[in-house]
Amino acid sequence: MTERYFRSKKHRFIFALLKLDGRKRAQALGITLDMYYDSDKAYQWYSEIADEIDPKTCDINGAKEAMERLEYFYARMTQKESK
């Protein structure tokens, strides 16, 4: 998904979080497998997107729902297997 189709990074992130699924969403958001094993990489990824779409500072429609989904995906990335 190229930047030229969106007004801003914020718009691109919100679209990807709300409208895409599976591999297309992962690709659009830059999710990689190693983020599930490296919490620092996962946090860096989360922070970059959260800074853009935080509904406290982003007035684009869907920002709140997109942030909720971002938090869900980040929680799944960083959850540890219970033994």
Side-chain angles (χ1 to χ4, degrees):
M1 199 166 29
T2 62
E3 293 291 327
R4 69 178 181 218
Y5 296 112
F6 298 96
R7 292 184 203 160
S8 67
K9 274 176 109 174
K10 294 175 187 192
H11 287 89
R12 182 174 59 88
F13 287 141
I14 291 170
F15 175 83
L17 284 160
L18 299 181
K19 302 297 184 186
L20 300 178
D21 59 5
R23 289 178 194 238
K24 287 182 181 182
R25 179 179 49 227
Q27 184 179 20
L29 295 174
I31 297 171
T32 59
L33 189 58
D34 59 327
M35 290 176 186
Y36 288 87
Y37 300 101
D38 185 336
S39 60
D40 290 335
K41 286 183 181 182
Y43 182 75
Q44 183 178 5
W45 167 83
Y46 168 82
S47 294
E48 177 187 350
I49 298 174
D51 288 347
E52 294 285 336
I53 67 166
D54 185 343
K56 294 174 189 164
T57 58
C58 178
D59 61 356
I60 299 170
N61 285 341
K64 182 178 178 186
E65 184 182 355
M67 188 68 180
E68 290 169 0
R69 289 193 183 185
L70 177 66
E71 289 170 351
Y72 170 78
F73 295 130
Y74 177 66
R76 285 192 53 192
M77 275 182 198
T78 58
Q79 76 182 11
K80 303 296 180 205
E81 267 188 53
S82 58
K83 293 186 179 186

Coordinates of all heavy atoms in Angstrom, one line a residue:
M1 N 0.9 -1.2 0.0 CA 0.0 0.0 0.0 C 0.9 1.2 0.0 O 1.7 1.4 0.9 CB -0.9 0.0 1.3 CG -2.0 0.8 1.2 SD -3.3 0.5 2.4 CE -2.4 -0.1 3.9
T2 N 0.8 2.0 -1.0 CA 1.7 3.2 -1.1 C 1.1 4.4 -0.5 O -0.1 4.6 -0.4 CB 2.1 3.5 -2.6 OG1 0.9 3.8 -3.3 CG2 2.7 2.3 -3.2
E3 N 2.0 5.3 -0.1 CA 1.5 6.5 0.5 C 0.7 7.4 -0.4 O -0.1 8.2 0.1 CB 2.8 7.3 1.0 CG 3.6 6.7 2.1 CD 2.9 6.6 3.4 OE1 2.1 7.6 3.7 OE2 3.1 5.7 4.1
R4 N 0.9 7.4 -1.7 CA 0.2 8.3 -2.6 C -1.3 8.2 -2.6 O -2.0 9.1 -3.0 CB 0.8 8.2 -4.0 CG 0.4 6.9 -4.6 CD 0.9 6.8 -6.1 NE 0.5 5.6 -6.6 CZ 1.2 4.9 -7.4 NH1 2.4 5.3 -7.8 NH2 0.8 3.7 -7.9
Y5 N -1.8 7.1 -2.1 CA -3.3 6.9 -2.0 C -3.9 7.5 -0.8 O -5.1 7.6 -0.7 CB -3.6 5.4 -2.1 CG -3.2 4.8 -3.4 CD1 -2.2 3.9 -3.5 CD2 -3.8 5.2 -4.6 CE1 -1.8 3.3 -4.7 CE2 -3.5 4.6 -5.8 CZ -2.5 3.7 -5.8 OH -2.1 3.1 -7.0
F6 N -3.1 8.0 0.2 CA -3.6 8.5 1.4 C -3.1 9.9 1.7 O -2.0 10.2 1.3 CB -3.1 7.5 2.6 CG -3.7 6.1 2.4 CD1 -2.9 5.1 1.9 CD2 -5.0 5.8 2.8 CE1 -3.4 3.9 1.7 CE2 -5.5 4.6 2.7 CZ -4.7 3.6 2.1
R7 N -3.9 10.6 2.4 CA -3.6 12.0 2.7 C -2.4 12.1 3.7 O -1.6 13.0 3.6 CB -4.7 12.7 3.4 CG -5.9 13.0 2.5 CD -6.9 13.8 3.2 NE -8.2 13.5 2.5 CZ -9.4 13.7 3.0 NH1 -9.5 14.2 4.3 NH2 -10.5 13.5 2.4
S8 N -2.3 11.1 4.5 CA -1.2 11.1 5.5 C -0.9 9.7 6.0 O -1.7 8.7 5.8 CB -1.6 12.0 6.7 OG -2.7 11.4 7.4
K9 N 0.1 9.5 6.8 CA 0.4 8.2 7.5 C -0.7 7.9 8.4 O -1.1 6.7 8.5 CB 1.7 8.4 8.4 CG 3.0 8.1 7.6 CD 4.1 8.4 8.6 CE 4.8 7.1 9.0 NZ 6.0 7.3 9.8
K10 N -1.3 8.8 9.1 CA -2.4 8.6 10.0 C -3.6 7.9 9.2 O -4.2 6.9 9.7 CB -2.9 9.9 10.6 CG -2.0 10.6 11.5 CD -2.5 11.9 12.0 CE -1.4 12.6 12.7 NZ -1.8 13.7 13.5
H11 N -3.9 8.5 8.1 CA -5.0 7.9 7.2 C -4.7 6.5 6.8 O -5.5 5.6 6.8 CB -5.3 8.8 6.0 CG -5.9 10.0 6.3 ND1 -5.3 11.2 6.6 CD2 -7.3 10.4 6.3 CE1 -6.1 12.2 6.8 NE2 -7.4 11.7 6.6
R12 N -3.4 6.2 6.4 CA -3.0 4.9 6.0 C -3.1 3.9 7.1 O -3.6 2.8 7.0 CB -1.6 4.9 5.5 CG -1.1 3.6 4.9 CD 0.3 3.7 4.3 NE 1.3 4.2 5.1 CZ 2.1 3.5 5.9 NH1 1.9 2.2 6.0 NH2 3.0 4.0 6.7
F13 N -2.6 4.3 8.3 CA -2.7 3.4 9.5 C -4.1 3.1 9.9 O -4.5 1.9 10.1 CB -1.9 4.0 10.7 CG -0.4 4.0 10.6 CD1 0.3 5.1 11.1 CD2 0.2 2.9 10.0 CE1 1.7 5.1 11.0 CE2 1.6 2.9 10.0 CZ 2.3 4.0 10.4
I14 N -5.0 4.1 9.9 CA -6.4 3.9 10.3 C -7.1 3.0 9.3 O -7.8 2.0 9.6 CB -7.1 5.2 10.5 CG1 -6.5 5.9 11.7 CG2 -8.6 5.0 10.6 CD1 -7.0 7.3 11.9
F15 N -6.8 3.2 8.0 CA -7.4 2.3 7.0 C -6.9 0.9 7.1 O -7.8 0.0 7.1 CB -7.0 2.8 5.6 CG -7.5 1.9 4.5 CD1 -8.8 2.0 4.0 CD2 -6.6 1.0 3.9 CE1 -9.2 1.2 3.0 CE2 -7.0 0.1 2.9 CZ -8.3 0.2 2.4
A16 N -5.7 0.7 7.3 CA -5.1 -0.7 7.5 C -5.7 -1.4 8.7 O -6.1 -2.6 8.6 CB -3.6 -0.6 7.5
L17 N -5.8 -0.7 9.8 CA -6.3 -1.3 11.0 C -7.8 -1.6 10.9 O -8.3 -2.6 11.5 CB -6.1 -0.4 12.2 CG -4.6 -0.4 12.7 CD1 -4.4 0.9 13.5 CD2 -4.3 -1.6 13.5
L18 N -8.6 -0.8 10.2 CA -10.0 -0.9 10.2 C -10.6 -1.7 9.0 O -11.6 -2.4 9.0 CB -10.7 0.4 10.2 CG -10.5 1.2 11.5 CD1 -11.3 2.5 11.4 CD2 -10.8 0.5 12.7
K19 N -9.8 -1.7 7.9 CA -10.4 -2.2 6.6 C -9.7 -3.5 6.1 O -10.2 -4.2 5.3 CB -10.4 -1.1 5.5 CG -11.2 0.1 5.8 CD -12.6 -0.2 6.0 CE -13.4 1.1 6.3 NZ -14.8 0.8 6.6
L20 N -8.4 -3.7 6.5 CA -7.7 -4.8 6.0 C -7.7 -5.9 7.0 O -7.9 -5.7 8.2 CB -6.3 -4.4 5.7 CG -6.1 -3.3 4.6 CD1 -4.6 -3.0 4.4 CD2 -6.7 -3.7 3.3
D21 N -7.3 -7.1 6.6 CA -7.2 -8.2 7.5 C -6.1 -9.1 7.1 O -5.6 -9.0 6.0 CB -8.5 -9.0 7.7 CG -9.0 -9.6 6.5 OD1 -8.4 -9.5 5.4 OD2 -10.1 -10.2 6.5
G22 N -5.7 -10.0 8.0 CA -4.7 -11.0 7.7 C -3.4 -10.5 7.2 O -2.9 -9.5 7.7
R23 N -2.9 -11.2 6.2 CA -1.5 -10.8 5.6 C -1.5 -9.4 5.1 O -0.5 -8.7 5.2 CB -1.1 -11.8 4.6 CG -0.8 -13.1 5.1 CD -0.4 -14.1 4.0 NE -0.4 -15.4 4.4 CZ 0.6 -16.2 4.4 NH1 1.7 -15.8 3.8 NH2 0.6 -17.4 4.8
K24 N -2.6 -8.9 4.5 CA -2.6 -7.6 3.9 C -2.5 -6.5 5.0 O -1.8 -5.6 4.8 CB -3.9 -7.4 3.1 CG -3.9 -8.1 1.8 CD -5.2 -7.8 1.0 CE -5.2 -8.6 -0.3 NZ -6.4 -8.3 -1.1
R25 N -3.1 -6.8 6.1 CA -3.0 -5.8 7.2 C -1.6 -5.9 7.8 O -1.0 -4.8 8.0 CB -4.0 -6.1 8.3 CG -3.9 -5.2 9.5 CD -4.9 -5.5 10.6 NE -5.0 -6.9 11.0 CZ -6.1 -7.6 11.1 NH1 -7.3 -7.0 10.9 NH2 -6.0 -8.8 11.4
A26 N -1.1 -7.1 8.0 CA 0.3 -7.2 8.6 C 1.3 -6.5 7.7 O 2.2 -5.8 8.2 CB 0.6 -8.7 8.7
Q27 N 1.1 -6.7 6.4 CA 2.1 -6.1 5.4 C 1.9 -4.5 5.5 O 2.9 -3.8 5.5 CB 1.8 -6.6 4.0 CG 2.8 -6.0 3.0 CD 2.6 -6.6 1.6 OE1 1.5 -7.1 1.3 NE2 3.5 -6.5 0.8
A28 N 0.7 -4.1 5.5 CA 0.5 -2.6 5.4 C 1.0 -1.9 6.7 O 1.4 -0.8 6.7 CB -1.0 -2.3 5.3
L29 N 0.9 -2.7 7.8 CA 1.3 -2.1 9.1 C 2.8 -2.4 9.5 O 3.3 -1.9 10.5 CB 0.4 -2.6 10.2 CG -1.0 -2.2 10.2 CD1 -1.9 -2.9 11.3 CD2 -1.2 -0.7 10.3
G30 N 3.4 -3.2 8.6 CA 4.8 -3.5 8.9 C 5.1 -4.5 10.0 O 6.1 -4.5 10.6
I31 N 4.1 -5.4 10.2 CA 4.2 -6.4 11.2 C 5.1 -7.5 10.7 O 4.9 -8.0 9.6 CB 2.8 -7.0 11.6 CG1 1.9 -5.9 12.2 CG2 3.0 -8.1 12.6 CD1 0.5 -6.3 12.5
T32 N 6.0 -7.9 11.5 CA 6.9 -9.0 11.2 C 6.9 -10.1 12.3 O 6.5 -9.8 13.4 CB 8.4 -8.6 11.0 OG1 8.8 -8.0 12.2 CG2 8.5 -7.5 9.8
L33 N 7.2 -11.3 11.9 CA 7.2 -12.4 12.8 C 8.0 -12.2 14.1 O 7.7 -12.5 15.2 CB 7.6 -13.7 12.1 CG 7.4 -15.0 12.9 CD1 5.9 -15.2 13.3 CD2 7.8 -16.2 12.1
D34 N 9.2 -11.5 13.9 CA 10.1 -11.3 15.0 C 9.5 -10.4 16.1 O 10.0 -10.5 17.2 CB 11.5 -10.9 14.5 CG 11.4 -9.6 13.8 OD1 10.5 -9.3 13.0 OD2 12.4 -8.8 13.9
M35 N 8.5 -9.6 15.8 CA 7.9 -8.8 16.8 C 7.2 -9.6 17.8 O 7.0 -9.2 18.9 CB 6.9 -7.8 16.1 CG 7.5 -6.8 15.3 SD 6.3 -5.8 14.5 CE 7.3 -4.8 13.4
Y36 N 6.8 -10.8 17.5 CA 6.1 -11.7 18.4 C 7.1 -12.3 19.4 O 6.7 -12.9 20.4 CB 5.4 -12.8 17.7 CG 4.1 -12.3 17.0 CD1 4.2 -11.8 15.7 CD2 2.9 -12.3 17.7 CE1 3.0 -11.3 15.1 CE2 1.8 -11.9 17.1 CZ 1.8 -11.4 15.8 OH 0.7 -10.9 15.2
Y37 N 8.4 -12.2 19.1 CA 9.5 -12.8 20.0 C 10.4 -11.7 20.6 O 11.1 -12.0 21.5 CB 10.3 -13.8 19.2 CG 9.5 -14.9 18.6 CD1 9.1 -14.9 17.3 CD2 9.1 -16.0 19.4 CE1 8.3 -15.9 16.8 CE2 8.3 -17.0 18.9 CZ 8.0 -17.0 17.6 OH 7.2 -18.0 17.1
D38 N 10.3 -10.5 20.1 CA 11.1 -9.4 20.6 C 10.2 -8.3 21.1 O 9.7 -7.5 20.2 CB 12.1 -9.0 19.5 CG 13.1 -7.9 20.0 OD1 12.8 -7.2 21.0 OD2 14.1 -7.8 19.3
S39 N 10.0 -8.1 22.3 CA 9.1 -7.1 22.8 C 9.5 -5.7 22.6 O 8.7 -4.8 22.4 CB 8.8 -7.3 24.3 OG 10.0 -7.2 25.1
D40 N 10.8 -5.5 22.4 CA 11.3 -4.2 22.1 C 10.9 -3.8 20.7 O 10.5 -2.6 20.5 CB 12.9 -4.1 22.2 CG 13.3 -4.2 23.7 OD1 12.6 -3.8 24.6 OD2 14.5 -4.6 23.9
K41 N 11.0 -4.7 19.8 CA 10.6 -4.4 18.4 C 9.1 -4.2 18.3 O 8.6 -3.3 17.6 CB 11.0 -5.5 17.4 CG 12.5 -5.6 17.1 CD 12.8 -6.7 16.1 CE 14.3 -6.7 15.9 NZ 14.6 -7.7 14.9
A42 N 8.4 -5.0 19.1 CA 6.9 -4.9 19.1 C 6.5 -3.5 19.7 O 5.6 -2.8 19.2 CB 6.3 -6.0 20.0
Y43 N 7.2 -3.1 20.7 CA 6.9 -1.8 21.3 C 7.3 -0.6 20.4 O 6.5 0.4 20.3 CB 7.7 -1.6 22.7 CG 7.3 -0.3 23.3 CD1 6.1 -0.1 24.0 CD2 8.2 0.8 23.3 CE1 5.8 1.1 24.5 CE2 7.9 2.0 23.8 CZ 6.7 2.2 24.4 OH 6.3 3.4 25.0
Q44 N 8.4 -0.7 19.7 CA 8.8 0.3 18.8 C 7.7 0.4 17.7 O 7.3 1.6 17.3 CB 10.1 0.0 18.2 CG 10.7 1.0 17.2 CD 12.0 0.6 16.7 OE1 12.6 -0.4 16.9 NE2 12.6 1.5 15.9
W45 N 7.2 -0.7 17.1 CA 6.2 -0.7 16.1 C 4.9 -0.1 16.7 O 4.3 0.8 16.0 CB 5.9 -2.2 15.7 CG 4.7 -2.4 14.9 CD1 4.6 -2.2 13.6 CD2 3.4 -2.8 15.4 NE1 3.3 -2.4 13.2 CE2 2.6 -2.8 14.3 CE3 2.9 -3.1 16.6 CZ2 1.2 -3.2 14.4 CZ3 1.6 -3.5 16.7 CH2 0.8 -3.5 15.6
Y46 N 4.5 -0.5 17.9 CA 3.3 0.0 18.5 C 3.4 1.5 18.7 O 2.5 2.3 18.4 CB 3.0 -0.7 19.8 CG 2.0 -0.1 20.7 CD1 0.6 -0.3 20.4 CD2 2.4 0.8 21.7 CE1 -0.3 0.3 21.2 CE2 1.4 1.4 22.5 CZ 0.1 1.2 22.2 OH -0.9 1.8 23.0
S47 N 4.5 2.0 19.2 CA 4.7 3.4 19.6 C 4.6 4.3 18.3 O 4.0 5.3 18.4 CB 6.0 3.6 20.2 OG 6.0 3.0 21.5
E48 N 5.2 3.8 17.2 CA 5.2 4.6 16.0 C 3.8 4.8 15.5 O 3.4 6.0 15.2 CB 6.0 3.9 14.9 CG 5.9 4.7 13.6 CD 6.6 3.9 12.4 OE1 7.3 2.9 12.6 OE2 6.4 4.4 11.3
I49 N 3.0 3.8 15.5 CA 1.6 3.9 15.0 C 0.7 4.6 16.1 O -0.1 5.5 15.7 CB 1.0 2.5 14.7 CG1 1.8 1.9 13.6 CG2 -0.4 2.6 14.3 CD1 1.5 0.5 13.2
A50 N 0.9 4.3 17.3 CA 0.1 5.0 18.4 C 0.3 6.5 18.4 O -0.7 7.2 18.6 CB 0.4 4.4 19.7
D51 N 1.5 6.9 18.2 CA 1.8 8.3 18.2 C 1.0 9.0 17.0 O 0.6 10.2 17.2 CB 3.3 8.6 18.0 CG 4.1 8.3 19.2 OD1 3.5 8.1 20.3 OD2 5.3 8.2 19.1
E52 N 0.8 8.3 16.0 CA 0.1 8.9 14.8 C -1.4 8.9 15.0 O -2.1 9.9 14.6 CB 0.4 8.1 13.5 CG 1.9 8.2 13.1 CD 2.2 9.6 12.4 OE1 1.3 10.3 11.9 OE2 3.4 9.9 12.5
I53 N -2.0 7.8 15.6 CA -3.4 7.7 15.6 C -4.1 7.9 16.9 O -5.3 7.7 17.1 CB -3.9 6.3 15.0 CG1 -3.4 5.2 15.9 CG2 -3.3 6.2 13.5 CD1 -4.1 3.9 15.5
D54 N -3.4 8.3 17.9 CA -3.9 8.5 19.2 C -5.2 9.4 19.1 O -5.0 10.6 18.7 CB -2.9 9.1 20.2 CG -3.4 9.2 21.6 OD1 -4.6 9.2 21.9 OD2 -2.5 9.4 22.5
P55 N -6.3 9.0 19.5 CA -7.5 9.8 19.4 C -7.5 11.1 20.2 O -8.3 12.0 19.9 CB -8.7 8.8 19.9 CG -8.1 7.6 20.4 CD -6.6 7.6 20.1
K56 N -6.6 11.2 21.1 CA -6.5 12.4 21.9 C -5.9 13.6 21.0 O -6.2 14.7 21.3 CB -5.6 12.2 23.1 CG -6.2 11.3 24.1 CD -5.2 11.1 25.3 CE -5.8 9.9 26.2 NZ -4.7 9.4 27.0
T57 N -5.1 13.2 20.0 CA -4.5 14.2 19.1 C -4.9 14.0 17.7 O -4.6 14.9 16.9 CB -3.0 14.1 19.2 OG1 -2.6 12.8 18.9 CG2 -2.5 14.4 20.6
C58 N -5.6 12.9 17.3 CA -5.9 12.7 15.9 C -7.5 12.8 15.8 O -8.2 12.0 16.5 CB -5.5 11.3 15.5 SG -5.9 10.8 13.8
D59 N -7.9 13.7 14.9 CA -9.4 13.9 14.8 C -10.0 13.2 13.6 O -11.1 13.5 13.2 CB -9.7 15.4 14.8 CG -9.0 16.1 13.6 OD1 -8.3 15.5 12.9 OD2 -9.3 17.3 13.5
I60 N -9.2 12.2 13.0 CA -9.7 11.5 11.8 C -10.8 10.5 12.3 O -10.6 9.8 13.3 CB -8.6 10.8 11.1 CG1 -7.6 11.8 10.6 CG2 -9.1 9.9 10.0 CD1 -6.3 11.2 10.1
N61 N -11.9 10.4 11.5 CA -12.9 9.4 11.8 C -12.3 8.0 11.9 O -11.5 7.6 11.1 CB -14.0 9.4 10.8 CG -14.9 10.6 10.9 OD1 -15.0 11.3 11.9 ND2 -15.6 10.9 9.8
G62 N -12.6 7.3 13.0 CA -12.2 5.9 13.1 C -10.9 5.8 14.0 O -10.4 4.7 14.2
A63 N -10.3 6.9 14.4 CA -9.1 6.9 15.2 C -9.2 6.1 16.5 O -8.4 5.3 16.8 CB -8.6 8.3 15.4
K64 N -10.4 6.3 17.1 CA -10.6 5.6 18.4 C -10.6 4.1 18.2 O -10.0 3.3 18.9 CB -11.8 6.1 19.1 CG -12.1 5.5 20.4 CD -13.3 6.0 21.1 CE -13.5 5.3 22.4 NZ -14.8 5.7 23.1
E65 N -11.4 3.7 17.2 CA -11.5 2.2 17.0 C -10.2 1.6 16.5 O -9.8 0.5 16.8 CB -12.6 2.0 15.9 CG -12.9 0.5 15.7 CD -13.9 0.2 14.6 OE1 -14.6 1.2 14.1 OE2 -14.1 -1.0 14.3
A66 N -9.5 2.4 15.6 CA -8.2 1.9 15.1 C -7.2 1.8 16.3 O -6.5 0.8 16.3 CB -7.7 2.9 14.1
M67 N -7.3 2.7 17.3 CA -6.4 2.6 18.4 C -6.7 1.4 19.3 O -5.8 0.7 19.7 CB -6.5 3.9 19.3 CG -5.5 4.0 20.4 SD -3.8 4.2 19.7 CE -2.9 4.2 21.2
E68 N -8.0 1.1 19.4 CA -8.4 -0.1 20.1 C -7.9 -1.4 19.5 O -7.4 -2.3 20.1 CB -9.9 -0.2 20.3 CG -10.5 0.9 21.2 CD -12.0 1.0 21.1 OE1 -12.6 0.3 20.3 OE2 -12.5 1.9 21.8
R69 N -7.9 -1.4 18.1 CA -7.4 -2.6 17.4 C -5.9 -2.7 17.5 O -5.4 -3.7 17.7 CB -7.9 -2.5 16.0 CG -9.3 -2.8 15.8 CD -9.7 -3.0 14.4 NE -11.2 -3.2 14.3 CZ -11.8 -3.6 13.2 NH1 -11.1 -3.7 12.1 NH2 -13.1 -3.7 13.2
L70 N -5.2 -1.5 17.4 CA -3.8 -1.5 17.6 C -3.4 -2.1 19.0 O -2.5 -2.9 19.1 CB -3.2 -0.1 17.4 CG -1.7 0.1 17.6 CD1 -1.0 -0.7 16.5 CD2 -1.4 1.5 17.7
E71 N -4.1 -1.6 20.0 CA -3.8 -2.1 21.3 C -4.0 -3.6 21.4 O -3.3 -4.4 22.1 CB -4.6 -1.4 22.4 CG -4.2 0.1 22.5 CD -5.1 0.9 23.4 OE1 -6.2 0.5 23.7 OE2 -4.7 2.1 23.7
Y72 N -5.1 -4.1 20.8 CA -5.4 -5.6 20.8 C -4.2 -6.3 20.1 O -3.8 -7.3 20.6 CB -6.7 -5.8 20.0 CG -7.0 -7.3 19.8 CD1 -7.4 -8.1 20.8 CD2 -6.8 -7.8 18.5 CE1 -7.7 -9.5 20.5 CE2 -7.0 -9.1 18.2 CZ -7.5 -9.9 19.2 OH -7.7 -11.3 19.0
F73 N -3.8 -5.9 18.9 CA -2.7 -6.6 18.2 C -1.4 -6.5 19.0 O -0.7 -7.5 19.0 CB -2.5 -6.0 16.8 CG -3.7 -6.2 15.9 CD1 -4.2 -5.1 15.2 CD2 -4.3 -7.4 15.8 CE1 -5.3 -5.3 14.4 CE2 -5.4 -7.6 15.0 CZ -5.9 -6.5 14.2
Y74 N -1.1 -5.4 19.6 CA 0.1 -5.3 20.4 C 0.0 -6.2 21.6 O 1.0 -6.9 21.9 CB 0.3 -3.8 20.9 CG 1.5 -3.7 21.8 CD1 2.8 -3.9 21.3 CD2 1.3 -3.3 23.1 CE1 3.9 -3.7 22.2 CE2 2.4 -3.1 24.0 CZ 3.7 -3.3 23.5 OH 4.8 -3.2 24.3
A75 N -1.1 -6.3 22.3 CA -1.3 -7.3 23.4 C -1.1 -8.7 22.9 O -0.4 -9.5 23.6 CB -2.7 -7.1 24.0
R76 N -1.6 -9.0 21.8 CA -1.4 -10.4 21.3 C 0.1 -10.7 21.0 O 0.6 -11.8 21.2 CB -2.2 -10.6 20.0 CG -3.7 -10.8 20.4 CD -4.5 -11.3 19.2 NE -3.9 -12.5 18.6 CZ -4.3 -13.0 17.5 NH1 -5.2 -12.5 16.8 NH2 -3.8 -14.1 17.0
M77 N 0.8 -9.7 20.4 CA 2.2 -9.8 20.1 C 3.0 -10.1 21.4 O 4.0 -10.8 21.4 CB 2.8 -8.6 19.5 CG 2.6 -8.4 18.0 SD 3.4 -6.9 17.5 CE 2.6 -6.7 16.0
T78 N 2.7 -9.4 22.4 CA 3.5 -9.4 23.6 C 3.0 -10.3 24.7 O 3.7 -10.5 25.8 CB 3.6 -8.0 24.2 OG1 2.3 -7.5 24.5 CG2 4.3 -7.0 23.3
Q79 N 2.0 -11.1 24.5 CA 1.5 -12.0 25.5 C 2.5 -13.2 25.6 O 3.0 -13.6 24.6 CB 0.1 -12.5 25.2 CG 0.0 -13.5 24.1 CD -1.5 -13.9 23.9 OE1 -2.4 -13.3 24.4 NE2 -1.7 -14.9 23.1
K80 N 2.7 -13.6 26.8 CA 3.7 -14.8 27.0 C 2.9 -16.0 27.2 O 1.8 -16.0 27.7 CB 4.5 -14.5 28.2 CG 5.3 -13.2 28.1 CD 6.3 -13.2 27.0 CE 7.1 -11.9 27.0 NZ 7.6 -11.6 25.8
E81 N 3.4 -17.1 26.7 CA 2.7 -18.4 26.9 C 2.8 -18.8 28.3 O 3.8 -18.7 29.0 CB 3.5 -19.5 26.1 CG 2.9 -19.7 24.7 CD 3.6 -21.0 24.1 OE1 3.6 -22.1 24.7 OE2 4.1 -20.8 23.0
S82 N 1.6 -19.1 28.8 CA 1.6 -19.6 30.2 C 1.8 -21.1 30.3 O 1.4 -21.8 29.4 CB 0.2 -19.2 30.9 OG -0.8 -19.8 30.1
K83 N 2.6 -21.5 31.3 CA 3.0 -22.9 31.4 C 2.3 -23.5 32.6 O 2.0 -22.9 33.6 CB 4.5 -23.0 31.5 CG 5.2 -22.6 30.2 CD 6.6 -22.9 30.3 CE 7.3 -22.5 29.0 NZ 8.6 -22.8 28.9

